[in-house]
Amino acid sequence: MIDKVKKALAVVINNWNAMSASGSDDAEGTANEFEASFYEFIDVVREWADTLDERPRTVEEMMELPLIQEILDLLPAPLVLNFETEAELIVDKITRIDDAKYD
């Protein structure tokens, strides 16, 4: 499962870099690809968290997990807050519906 999380993270970072480097002609397409990959990544993190023997009870506990620390070290700085928000929902066992996800 950890490999699946790392692969999903690599896709997010790749799409973030593509979006950051895109020109105005393809900005919307790369932004959509990034957004989709980010939420797919969050779904994979949620699946991983659900398999833990001792699931974190607080977002602070989740942020201290070694895999999450590794993610935070690799995640582009502008995405850390978004990730922390999603981590809180994971801890609270809340799943966003598509139209409730933010841009």
Side-chain angles (χ1 to χ4, degrees), residues 84-102:
E84 289 175 351
T85 300
E86 294 299 325
E88 186 173 349
L89 295 174
I90 290 169
V91 168
D92 292 340
K93 297 183 180 181
I94 297 171
T95 304
R96 290 182 188 264
I97 54 174
D98 285 341
D99 59 345
K101 294 178 180 177
Y102 47 79

Side-chain angles (χ1 to χ4, degrees), residues 2 19 21 29 34 42 45-46 48 60 65 69 72 76 80-81 83 89 100:
I2 291 175
M19 182 180 72
F34 162 73
I42 294 300
V45 172
R46 180 184 317 280
W48 167 78
E60 291 80 12
L65 296 172
Q69 285 294 308
L72 292 173
V80 170
L81 181 59
F83 180 78
L89 295 174

Side-chain angles (χ1 to χ4, degrees), residues 28-68:
E28 183 177 354
T30 56
N32 289 338
E33 283 182 46
F34 162 73
E35 182 180 24
S37 67
F38 181 78
Y39 288 110
E40 287 172 19
F41 164 66
I42 294 300
D43 289 342
V44 172
V45 172
R46 180 184 317 280
E47 290 173 23
W48 167 78
D50 288 342
T51 67
L52 296 174
D53 291 334
E54 290 188 38
R55 201 171 193 285
R57 291 172 288 165
T58 66
V59 72
E60 291 80 12
E61 286 180 12
M62 186 161 182
M63 291 299 137
E64 292 174 5
L65 296 172
L67 178 60
I68 300 302

